[in-house]
Amino acid sequence: MTTEPMTTEAAAGDEREIRELVERWTAAVRAGDLAGVLAHHTEDIVMFDVPPPHDGVRGLDAYRRTWPPFFRWLAEGAVFEIVSLDVTAGREVAFAHALLRCGTPQDLAGRPADRLRLTLGLRRENGRWAVAHEHHSFALEQADAEAGQQVREVHRGWSEATARGDLDALMSGIADDVVSYEHDEPLQHLGADAVREVCRHGLDSAAGAVGWHIPDLRVLVRGDLAVAWGLNRMTAGLPGGGTAESWSRGTRVFRRRNGRWMLVHQHLSYPYDPATGRAGTGLRP
C-alpha cells in the first residue's frame, strides 16, 4: 500500500493556515484574550515554559492557569511580537519555530538582540490544525530576567494581600526557615511563625486599611538565587480619619525551591540621626 505525497499546493496551504494560527495566538496573548490563547490547542497540550515545573505544564486546564500573570506583565507595557516564523507541515503533523521580541521596553533597549525562542508541535484534529506542544525558552541571561518577573509577582501578591488584610496570603512565598530583620525587637525573627506574628500585629494595629508598596523595586537574579531591594511605602488608617505614611529601606533574598521563589531573608531598616540616636521614621524619598 502506498500513500500519495502531498502536493506543493496542499503543503503551502497548510503552512499558511498554521502561520495564521500562530499570528492569531500571538495577537491574543498581547490582548490578554484568554479564550483566543486557548483556541486551537489540544486537551492534552504539553508546554515546556521558561518558569518551572521542569517536567512541563500538562493539560489544557494547567496551561490556562499559566497565563494571567503574564497578561498582567504585558499590561504594564511589555512587548510580545513575532520577529521570524517558519512552518513545516506534513499530512497529519507539523511544526513551527519562531523568534519573538519579549520584554519590557527598558529590557529591549538595553539588550535589543534578545529573543524569546518558540517551538510548536501541531497535529490535525477533525480536519483542523491544533497545537499539541509548546516550548518557550530564553538564553540564560533572559531566563534570569523572566525569573525576576516572577519575584516581582511575589511582591505584587504581598501588596494585594496587605490591602485585603489577608494574613494567610501574606505568608505565601515565605520559607519556614526565613530569617527576618524587622524594624522592632528582637534583633532577628526566626522562622515563618515569627514573621506571621509581625504581619498580624501590623494589620491589627491600624484603624483602617493598610497599604504596602515598593515603587522603586529592583530585582537581580542569578540561577536559583534572587535579591530584591527598594524603599517600602507603608500607609495605615488613623483612628480619627486620614492616613499615616512612612518610608523605610528593605532588602529581600529569595531562593527557588521546588519551582517556587521563597523568601529566606529580609532586612528592614530606618536611617538614624547620629546626634540623637533616633530612627528617621519621618523621612521621605
Side-chain angles (χ1 to χ4, degrees), residues 155-189:
H155 283 80
R156 181 200 296 273
W158 286 337
S159 180
E160 293 174 350
T162 301
R164 297 194 307 270
D166 187 341
L167 183 57
D168 289 337
L170 276 173
M171 298 308 298
S172 176
I174 296 180
D176 289 339
D177 59 349
V178 64
V179 176
S180 185
Y181 298 165
E182 300 282 343
H183 296 304
D184 56 356
E185 295 181 349
L187 283 173
Q188 56 183 353
H189 293 69

Side-chain angles (χ1 to χ4, degrees), residues 9-94:
E9 182 178 353
D14 283 332
E15 290 172 5
R16 183 169 55 252
E17 179 183 342
I18 292 169
R19 178 177 294 274
E20 292 171 355
L21 182 158
V22 176
E23 291 171 345
R24 287 196 303 271
W25 173 80
T26 307
V29 171
R30 287 198 300 269
D33 175 8
L34 185 57
V37 171
L38 299 177
H40 304 293
H41 282 69
T42 65
E43 289 290 336
D44 60 349
I45 174 74
V46 175
M47 176 174 66
F48 293 163
D49 204 0
V50 176
H54 297 291
D55 60 347
V57 174
R58 297 173 182 267
L60 196 59
D61 286 343
Y63 179 79
R64 177 186 291 109
R65 292 192 293 270
T66 66
W67 285 104
F70 193 74
F71 290 159
R72 289 195 293 267
W73 181 59
L74 289 177
E76 294 174 352
V79 175
F80 188 81
E81 61 186 24
I82 296 173
V83 174
S84 65
L85 172 62
D86 292 281
V87 180
T88 302
R91 285 187 175 276
E92 302 297 329
V93 295

Side-chain angles (χ1 to χ4, degrees), residues 84-134:
S84 65
L85 172 62
D86 292 281
V87 180
T88 302
R91 285 187 175 276
E92 302 297 329
V93 295
F95 73 90
H97 55 88
L99 296 175
L100 294 88
R101 295 178 71 242
C102 180
T104 66
Q106 296 84 355
D107 292 336
L108 295 172
R111 300 187 301 273
D114 283 359
R115 296 292 182 264
L116 171 68
R117 301 173 293 192
L118 172 68
T119 299
L120 302 175
L122 303 96
R123 66 174 182 251
R124 197 189 299 273
E125 289 190 343
N126 301 318
R128 302 179 66 186
W129 288 106
V131 178
H133 178 56
E134 288 183 25

Side-chain angles (χ1 to χ4, degrees), residues 1 8 50 54 65 79 98-99 142 173 186 188 198 203 245 257:
M1 180 178 179
T8 301
V50 176
H54 297 291
R65 292 192 293 270
V79 175
L99 296 175
Q142 289 176 279
Q188 56 183 353
V198 173
L203 293 175
E245 178 189 67
R257 293 175 173 173

